[in-house]
Every structure is written in C-alpha cells, then in structure tokens.
Amino acid sequence: MDEPRATDTSQDNSQEVREDTAELASWALSDNISLSSGHLPTKHPFAPAAPSTKSINHARLDREEPENHHLSEASPRPEIISEVSEPASPSSLPSSRKSPGMSALSQMFKHTPSSEEESQSIQDEDQSMDDSRVEPVTVRQAIISQPNERTALLLNKQVYGSNNTNADNVDDDIEGQKTRHKIMVDRSNGEVWKIPLRHGRSAMSKLFHPKTWDSKAVWKQVILKPAGYIPPVILGLLLNILDALSYGIILFPLGQPMFANLGVDGISMFYVSCIVSQLVYSLGGSIFKGGVGSEMIEVVPFFHKMAFLVLGKIGDDDPKAVLATTILSYSISSVVTGAVFFLMGKCRLGRLIGFFPRHILIGCIGGVGWFLVATGVEVSARLNGNLNYDLATLRKLFEADTVALWIIPLLLAISLFSMKHWVKHPLLDATYFISVIAIFYFFVAAIDKLELPDLRNRGWVFRAPEAGIPFYHFYTLYDFEAVNWAALADTMPTMLALTFFGIIHVPINVPALGCTMGEDNVDIDRELKAHGLSNALSGFCGSIQNYLVYTNSVLFVRSGGNSRTAGVMLAVATFGILISGPIIIGYIPVMVVGALIFFLGIDLLREALVDTLGKVHRLEYLTIMVIVITMGVWDFVIGILLGILLACVSFVLQTSRVSAIRSSLPGSIAASTVRRHPLQNRFLQDAGKQIYLMRLAGYLFFGTIVGVEKQIRTLLLDKFQRDPIRFLILDLQNVDGVDFSAAEAFTRINRILRVKGVVLIICGISIDGEMGQALCNVGLFEEGDDTVRFFETLNSALEHCENDLLLSLYQQRASMAVPDSSPTFLNVPKQDRPSLSSEIVYSSPRRRQLQQVATITFREQGLSSHPRWQDYKQPLQLLVQTFSTVSDKPEDFWHRAVSFFERKDFHTGNILYKREEMADGFYLLERGMLKAEYMLPQLGKFSELIVEGTTCGELPFFSGTKRTATTSAERDCVTWMLSQAGWEELQRSQPEIAQELLKISLKLTSERMDAITKHMLLTSS
C-alpha cells in the first residue's frame, strides 16, 4: 500500500481546521453551547476519539441533567466530547492512550476537571469516608490527582509511574521532548573544562580508598563495560592503521632521496597526533563522546610544500639541516594552528567562520584529491622525485617494469568504488584491504619464484627499515643547532595557508558530525578550543595537526563506541601499535597503500567536481575547477589565493544581477497621507504621474548602482515623451550602506536629471548619518545647488511634490482667465520653489499634460465660471464646497443645516480629541491645518495632515465608536463642529439632512480607506 503524501496530509489538516472554524462559528450563534463545559470540536486533529453515549460521563449527565442530555441527542450537530472527571483512585482510572501529536502538557490542560466536576468529586469523597484505605497522590496519563485527607504523607517510589511500561519515561519532559540529564555550565568562563577535572579528582579519590569500592560496581564498570567496547576499539584501531598507511606514510615527500627513508617516521608522527587528539577529545574536550581524532589528510600537500621550500633554500649538501628544519616547521605549524583555533574559540568566532564560501573549501578539497592521485602514482610507480607533467615521466610510467606497479592499485581503487555502490556496510573498506593483503601473500606463498627481498627490490613491497630503529626515531631528527632559521621563515606563508585551510574546514565539519550523530548542543567555540588544545599539544610533542574526523567518528559510534571510555581505550591501543615498532612496514604491499591513496584522491575529486555539477552556480563551479587545476599543476597556496579572488569576483557578478530597486511607483499610486480637498485629489490622480518613486534596498556599491542608473536613463530617454516626469524620488530607507563609487554615481545621476529639468529628491536617511555624510562628501548637497532636495521621510517628499504640482494647477487656472476668487482654504501654502513660467511660455510634454489635466479637472468640477456659493457666508460656503464632489444636494438643502454647526477655534498645539475617546463631534476645517496621528497594528505609528476644505472625525462620530487617532492643530485653525446634541437634534428635526450626512461619511471613509491602503502597500513594497 502506498503511504500518504505529506501534501495530502497538510491539505486534510487544513480542511479539518476550516471545518472546526465553521463549527465554532456556529456555536457562537447558538444558545445551548457553553464554553465552560469544556467541549471540543469532534474533528479536532489533536482531540481524542469521541466516546459513545454509553460512557461514564454521559451516564452521569443522564442522571444529573436529563433535559440537557435529551436536547443533545435531538440536536443535529455531531456528537461532542465531554471531559472525563478525575477518578478517586488509580484503580478507577479508565484505560486510555495519549493522543498522538498531543503533548503531556496539553493532555493535562485538556483533562483538568471543571469546577462542577471537582465539587462532585469532593461530594463523592465525603460520601465514602467509611473507606479506611489510604490513597496516594498518583501521576498517570499526565493527570495529577488532588490530595485529600486520606492521601499518604510519605509516598512510595512505585506510586509514580506505576503504570508506565518504560521506566525511562518517568524523567521525560512534560512536553514529551527528549530529556538530557546534563549539568548546565557556563562555557564562556571556562566551566566546561572543570567538569572532567572534577570527575578525575573524584575517581582518583575513590581509587586510593579501597574501602569505598563496591565489588559489583567494580566488576560492572571496570571489567564488563570496557569489554563491551572492544569491537569498536578494534574497528577504530584498524581505521587508524589504514590511515597511517595511506597518508601517514607520505607525510614526507618519499620521491626525494633526502626523504626516501622517512616513511616510518611519518607513521610514528601520525600515531602520536592520533593519540594526543584522542585523549583531548575523549577526556572532555569535545562534546562528542565517541569522537575520533586523527591527522588531516589535507595537510599533506602543505607539508610537501614546506619540505620543498626548505630543500630549495638549503640544498642537498646539508641533509641534517634539511631534516631538522623540515620537521621543526611541521611541529611549529601544528602549534600555530592550535593557537589560532583556541583564540577563535575564546573570542567566540566559530559561527562567523562558518559563513566562509563553501565552494572555495570544495575547490581546496578537489586540489587535495588531485595531489593524492599524483602521490598515489609517485608511491606506486616508485618515481624519483615528483610527478612531472612531461613526456619523460609519461614514458617512465608506461615502461614494462613500471606500468603494473601503478595500474593494479588504480584498478583496486576503482573496484572498491564499484563495490561501495552496492555494499553499504561500514566495514567494507577494512575488509577489502585486508583481503588484498591476504590474497597477495597467498600468491607469494604459492609461487616459489616470489621472494620478499626480490619483491622489495622491484617495488612491490616497502623496504624494511634498518634494524634497531625505534618508534621514537623521528625525535632524533630535531636538532635546533642545525636548523636553518632563514629557511624556516620562508615556510611561514605555507603555515598560514595550512592554518587558514583548517579554519574553514573545522567549523563546517563539526556541525555536520553533530547532525549525523544527533547531537543538538554542539558548541562550535568549545570544539575550536578542543582543536586548539589538541593541535598545540601535538606540536609540542613533535607531531602534526589533527582534527575530529567525520567518517571515523561516525563508524566508531555506530559500532558501539559512543563513550569516553572507548575513546581512551582507542588511544591506549594506538599507543600499543606505536611502540610495537616500524618492523611491520617491511611487510606491507605497495599496492595496498597505493590503492588507499588512489581511493581517497578519487573520492575527493568526485566530491569536488562530480557531486557539485549542476548543484552550484556556473561561476562557482568554474571557481572550483580553477582552484583544483591551480593546486594540482602549480601551487597550493596560489590556488587558495586565486580561489578567494575568484570568489570575490563571483560575488560581485552575482550580486550585481540582483536589482537594488525594491519597487518603482508613479505618484498617482504613491501618494502622501495628506487629506486634501476632492478637487485637488482629482487633479493629483492624473498629474501625480509626473512624480516617480524608486525605493532602493540593500548595500549600494559599484555593482548594484549600475542597474539604478540604467533604469533612470530609460525613464529619461525611452519613456519621457510618453510619460514625462518632473520629480524623481529616491527612497533610501531600506539601504544598508553606500560605497564611494555608488555615492559618486548619485552626482552623475543628478547631472543627467538636470539636463531634462527633473528634480532629484533624496529621502529616507539622516543628513548626519553615515549614508548622508557619504553623499555630502561627494558634493551632492552643496550649498546653492537647488536641484537636489532632501527629506528625512518619504511622506514629506511626496507631500512636497504634490504641493508643487498643485501650484501649477492654480497657475493654469489663472491662465484660463478664470477670476481667482476661490476661498482661502483651497490655497496651497507658499514655499520657495523655482517658477514654472518657463514651462508656461515654452511648451513641453510635462506642461501640456498638466494643462490637459487641469482643464479636465476644472470642467468636471464645474469651475469654469464664478460659482454662486463663493458669496455665501460661513459655514454654508464650507458645506457646499466640501460636499460638492460627494453630494448633489443644492445650496438650499444645506442652508437648513447651518444652524446645527458651531464655530470652534484652535491654536497651534491644541488637541481636538485623543485616541480611544468617545467621539463627540464632527468637524469641517475652514482655515488652518490639523494633524491626525494613528497607531495601527499593521503600520505602527503614522500621521496624516488635514488641510482646509476637508472633514475630520466623521466615521467615529456617526458610528458612535471610539476615536482611532489623536488630532491636534498644526496651525491656528477655524473649524465648524457638529456636536452630539446637535446631531441628535438634526436627526429629529431634519432627518433628510441626517441621512445625507451618513451617506457622505461613508463616501469619505471609503476615500480614506483607499488612501490608507495605498500607504500600506507603499510602506510594505
């Protein structure tokens, strides 16, 4: 049977939620549904199945309220779930299961008895006082029974969770989440290191006091428990041996005669690094109890680079100085890496490093893969020196006695890849290479002509080390008197590159390990400190870098080694392999080591070049390929630097494709919140197209400002004849910053706009802020330059542009020879602005458009001749003109309403009314300006200006609701108010006028809601 898809489940849940909503809505209209009854919708996805009418609770309802029960049976609604009352004892609890998806806390709240049920329970207890049985407090099904007179004061442990089949559930979190019994410590002040020290002191105290020993505990903790960790320890030890044979043995460039005999020393140094890191991680340094520490395979190319630098600086004449300087550079690089790691963790920079471009790390991994493949050829073919990409090396590889040496390991690696495609067992790698060794020695034993000395001479088996060489031989290479300090200084850039590679590797590897192992409390800074300590100690012990190995750790934990004890046992076992001596190296087939190196190299190349194909951007994939090729053919450090450079170029190119223009709107849509006269609103609906708003966002730099400039040029060149603009507003409120190139571009944009006579307006920033100062530094707001205007808010910028257009409206009216006897409340406040006379004399697309819009507006409003109401007294004149666009009633109709309005004067700063107050008046503004301040959940705080010839406070007044804004006088105002008493008298004596005012208030409210909606869209765009 096919399993249901997640999308189908989500659709079903959504449908159920809609049904519940509809049912709850129907309950709101019903009289016989009480919320105190605790009923839930029957189809609630988290509610238990509805009980039958024969349940205990329904039976009780039948006895106590038969009328209600009868009604419920007759009701057509679905059966409702009732709360089951709390039983008196655990034995009387009905068996039920916790509903899936519901936490214990939800169950507790759901099953909490109501007050009626609690009182009924108390009555039942009073009636059964003759029962002398003592009842304990019980915890069952997340229900806590209430204690009473018979509750025992001392409880038995078996009472709690007595019905739980799983004893571990006793300590579960009440929300059903996974509980971790851990001591919470403050990691910021070093408390994390005090825990293992405290445990160690406690263990030592018990160790030296035999009287405190418990024989059973000793048998369990000292014998049985460590014995159970033997299988994962054997697996971890085998992995360490294989790693030592794969890249520990090539720690030095064995192709150079100077380093040809140092394979054994490389293995010993590898084991020391493993032991040090394992002890640091297992003794409390890492949160991963079963974490396995080992050498970084990625460090090998850098070590070879340092060895070649030292060899090139000193030469072949002084091998002692070459070896002493090389091995010292290895250990110093480990100390430097550890110091950097520890400082990063101490400064809590772990999360920050995780943002480093991942494709650069992938490219470096691919470069390491190339290096390992080349090293596999060098080791298998026994080449003298490095693998050179020339014809001589190619001829050498295909000689009769050489081609089989590297072809067989390559085929073995490819065959392992094929097997891993079908077999997913974690022990496949170890089993495979052990089988290769067994088959190799089977043929050696079966064929008489095959002798080990001859095989060593022909390159099939590694040469046996000299007799008597101890495991600590590499320490004899340290000779500070023979060190060439100048050559050591030359290796510092490579050391830093090696440290840099580790920095970008660990913060990515550790979270991946935590995700795989289910560890949710991974602290990157703590792991960096642990890595710093392990690398520094390894360097002081004369060894090399190490880190927490992802693959080995996962295999070790999954095989049963998720314990710090197992980690310590692995370190002890590795130490045993170390002191056993290097004699084993003379019996290892070269093809095994070559196959291991080939396998690792091909796997890293596949991860870098194949797995990323089609998953990353083409520029990022190109960066990966360039890094891989540069590292493989040229140099590792140059490859990293080139990768960083290409990543920067890729970032600029990709970021430049993201437009910095968040939205572009004409002024007909992007309007200010000023409440204007209907005549002016009608004019601005068409004339507002000459205002163009661009809202910019993000960080403006030389890559993104190009798109802004291109869009502005399109407006001025391609669309100007069809849609001419007078004002260009650039809103920088959502801009995070601006660089020098982008600031210079603003001056260039201003010069382009000035040619077309377009005014540039900058808003949304503070002139004293960082961006304002950046624009001032390039001379954008120079004194005497009136072509660039600045406003701190977008609303102020829009208001300024609208006022400028309205000025042209009345200039056009004057040019039409219409007597300018309009009342003062239609005048726009005068401001210092450039004259439009030039456009009146010389025709332009903008001027022609304004003339047409103004003519149409005046004609539609009937203002082509002198209106009769111009000579009326107030407030009749105000009533007729204010309502002329929303009502067709004549002057005589409104004359009857004059006596109901009374004049109210307000000085600047006076408050007409406050938000949340009951409305007690409706205002008409004859002169002055008001400011209404709103506080809406969707917009937050915003304000609108109310100018002459408009209304104020109509909706709350006529609807009898509270005020939605606080309105105050911005200037000295003259208003005409209809009071509550006047409104009641008007309804009684002039019902027609009252009805008309209600219609007008609805129309005005519709206009205001439209304006607020535009403002919401504008601010959210």
Side-chain angles (χ1 to χ4, degrees), residues 493-708:
T494 307
M495 291 184 191
L496 296 177
L498 173 58
T499 303
F500 170 77
F501 190 85
I503 289 174
I504 64 176
H505 190 282
V506 173
I508 296 175
N509 188 60
V510 170
L513 181 60
C515 181
T516 302
M517 299 179 64
E519 180 56 62
D520 300 328
N521 299 317
V522 176
D523 186 354
I524 302 295
D525 299 314
R526 172 183 176 179
E527 301 301 324
L528 284 174
K529 291 179 182 179
H531 279 76
L533 183 61
S534 65
N535 280 273
L537 289 178
S538 179
F540 286 124
C541 291
S543 187
I544 54 175
Q545 286 87 346
N546 52 72
Y547 78 124
L548 204 61
V549 185
Y550 173 83
T551 305
N552 292 13
S553 298
V554 172
L555 294 176
F556 189 69
V557 170
R558 290 180 177 177
S559 62
N562 191 21
S563 170
R564 301 194 185 277
T565 303
V568 174
M569 292 174 61
L570 177 60
V572 173
T574 306
F575 181 75
I577 294 295
L578 170 65
I579 63 176
S580 64
I583 191 64
I584 190 177
I585 194 70
Y587 296 93
I588 299 176
V590 175
M591 67 174 65
V592 174
V593 176
L596 272 169
I597 299 174
F598 277 128
F599 176 78
L600 293 173
I602 296 173
D603 187 52
L604 294 180
L605 283 174
R606 175 190 57 81
E607 179 181 349
L609 300 178
V610 179
D611 293 350
T612 58
L613 188 62
K615 296 181 180 180
V616 299
H617 193 272
R618 286 176 294 180
L619 289 177
E620 294 178 343
Y621 190 78
L622 178 62
T623 303
I624 293 173
M625 291 190 63
V626 170
I627 293 175
V628 171
I629 296 175
T630 304
M631 284 185 168
V633 178
W634 193 3
D635 185 83
F636 255 76
V637 178
I638 299 299
I640 292 179
L641 296 178
L642 183 60
I644 295 176
L645 177 62
L646 290 177
C648 295
V649 174
S650 174
F651 173 77
V652 172
L653 293 177
Q654 294 187 39
T655 307
S656 301
R657 295 182 180 181
V658 180
S659 177
I661 303 175
R662 186 174 180 179
S663 61
S664 301
L665 298 171
S668 57
I669 298 177
S672 69
T673 58
V674 178
R675 188 180 302 186
R676 300 185 185 274
H677 188 273
L679 173 67
Q680 299 175 353
N681 287 334
R682 173 64 185 85
F683 173 76
L684 291 176
Q685 285 181 1
D686 293 330
K689 296 178 181 178
Q690 295 194 8
I691 305 172
Y692 199 83
L693 168 65
M694 280 188 180
R695 304 197 69 195
L696 308 183
Y699 186 83
L700 300 181
F701 67 106
F702 59 88
T704 55
I705 198 65
V706 175
V708 178

Side-chain angles (χ1 to χ4, degrees), residues 435-446:
S435 301
V436 171
I437 296 175
I439 294 174
F440 176 83
Y441 278 102
F442 171 78
F443 283 102
V444 171

Side-chain angles (χ1 to χ4, degrees), residues 896-897 899-900 981-994:
R896 291 181 289 167
S899 60
F900 296 95
W983 169 242
E984 294 175 356
E985 179 63 24
L986 182 65
Q987 287 179 301
R988 184 168 50 255
S989 60
Q990 300 291 339
E992 295 180 359
I993 299 178

Side-chain angles (χ1 to χ4, degrees), residues 251-327:
L251 202 60
F252 297 91
L254 302 181
Q256 291 292 333
M258 184 76 66
F259 306 100
N261 298 322
L262 297 183
V264 175
D265 296 299
I267 292 178
S268 297
M269 295 176 67
F270 172 86
Y271 284 140
V272 171
S273 179
C274 289
I275 294 169
V276 171
S277 61
Q278 191 64 55
L279 290 176
V280 171
Y281 301 143
S282 297
L283 293 179
S286 174
I287 196 174
F288 302 103
K289 298 179 180 179
V292 175
S294 181
E295 175 199 343
M296 268 196 249
I297 187 176
E298 292 84 1
V299 303
V300 176
F302 296 94
F303 285 157
H304 285 205
K305 173 70 175 178
M306 288 189 287
F308 288 131
L309 286 174
V310 172
L311 182 61
K313 182 74 174 181
I314 301 176
D316 299 333
D317 300 334
D318 192 355
K320 187 176 182 180
V322 171
L323 296 180
T325 306
T326 300
I327 196 169

